[in-house]
């Protein structure tokens, strides 16, 4: 059977204080945060509503899907994710755009030990003060003007290889590596967490 490498963390029992303070927050998910804020969840008559899938295509060489959310964050002109899956790899493209400058944090929680592909520098921190970012700890960082890579390795010898193509000589970003609480069935266990931070009117996170 396969092994989970970057799963949704799930939730602990409702009686656990971290259910509200961490696991229901945006930072606890593999997504993009805007300005450190929690995503809005649109609802009609107290029922959550979601925009229809923009693209869904299955084929022999690859499967691809695109979803968008116009109401996740106010003032965003684009908040869109496309995922393509082949038998050998996965491509994740997350595009965000606004008429004004924002701080965009691409977040990925992976299972296993993490080894960055470059030496990392000290991270002064904090990562943030809102949402669930105060749970982030033991951070290191690296200013980027090109591609970056790292790898998770599980105890079974499997792993997840990350190639980030976000940065360029004209649009630098910061890769921040630390740890945060992992799956909800054990809220005391911390797992490696990677944050790719870009500030500007728009960003495209490609991994």
């Amino acid at each position: 059977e396969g092994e989970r490498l970057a799963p949704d963390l799930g939730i602990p029992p409702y009686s656990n204080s971290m259910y509200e303070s961490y696991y229901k927050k945006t930072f606890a998910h593999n997504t993009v945060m805007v300005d450190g804020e929690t995503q809005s969840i649109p609802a009609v008559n107290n029922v959550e509503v979601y925009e229809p899938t923009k693209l869904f295509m299955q084929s022999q060489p690859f499967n691809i899907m695109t979803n968008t959310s116009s109401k996740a964050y106010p003032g965003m002109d684009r908040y869109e994710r496309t995922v393509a899956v082949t038998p050998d790899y996965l491509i994740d493209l997350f595009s965000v755009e606004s008429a004004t400058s924002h701080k965009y944090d691409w977040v990925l929680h992976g299972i296993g030990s993490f080894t960055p592909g470059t030496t990392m520098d000290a991270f002064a921190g904090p990562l943030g003060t809102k949402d669930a970012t105060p749970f982030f700890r033991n951070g290191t960082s690296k200013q980027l003007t090109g591609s970056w890579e790292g790898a998770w390795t599980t105890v079974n010898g499997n792993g997840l290889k990350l190639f980030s193509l976000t940065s360029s000589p004209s649009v630098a970003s910061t890769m921040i590596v630390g740890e945060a609480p992992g799956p909800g069935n054990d809220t005391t266990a911390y797992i490696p967490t990677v944050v790719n931070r870009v500030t500007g009117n728009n960003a495209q996170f490609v991994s």
Side-chain angles (χ1 to χ4, degrees), residues 32-175:
V32 171
M33 295 181 66
V34 180
D35 296 329
E37 299 284 356
T38 304
Q39 289 182 4
S40 299
I41 302 177
V44 176
N45 297 325
N46 294 321
V47 177
E48 295 180 10
V49 294
Y50 301 94
E51 296 170 46
T53 296
K54 189 173 181 180
L55 170 67
F56 182 79
M57 184 178 70
Q58 291 180 297
S59 65
Q60 186 63 34
F62 66 90
N63 301 320
I64 187 169
M65 182 172 67
T66 298
N67 279 303
T68 187
S69 177
S70 61
K71 298 180 175 61
Y73 289 101
M76 295 299 298
D77 299 320
R78 188 182 189 190
Y79 188 85
E80 182 176 280
R81 189 173 206 167
T82 297
V83 176
V85 181
T86 79
D88 300 312
Y89 56 85
L90 179 148
I91 299 173
D92 184 358
L93 170 63
F94 211 126
S95 303
V96 288
E97 185 174 350
S98 174
T100 57
S101 180
H102 295 276
K103 179 180 68 180
Y104 302 112
D105 285 338
W106 179 90
V107 183
L108 182 62
H109 305 273
I111 302 298
S113 60
F114 183 78
T115 303
T118 60
T119 57
M120 303 294 288
D121 302 320
F123 177 62
L127 182 68
T129 58
K130 297 177 286 188
D131 192 77
T133 54
F135 283 93
F136 182 83
R137 69 186 190 186
N138 298 332
T140 58
S141 67
K142 189 72 173 181
Q143 290 291 120
L144 304 177
T145 55
S147 61
W148 188 86
E149 64 183 72
W152 281 267
T153 305
T154 69
V155 294
N156 296 321
N158 298 315
L160 174 68
K161 186 77 171 182
L162 170 65
F163 294 94
S164 175
L165 308 177
T166 299
S167 301
S168 70
S170 59
V171 182
S173 70
T174 304
M175 194 66 73

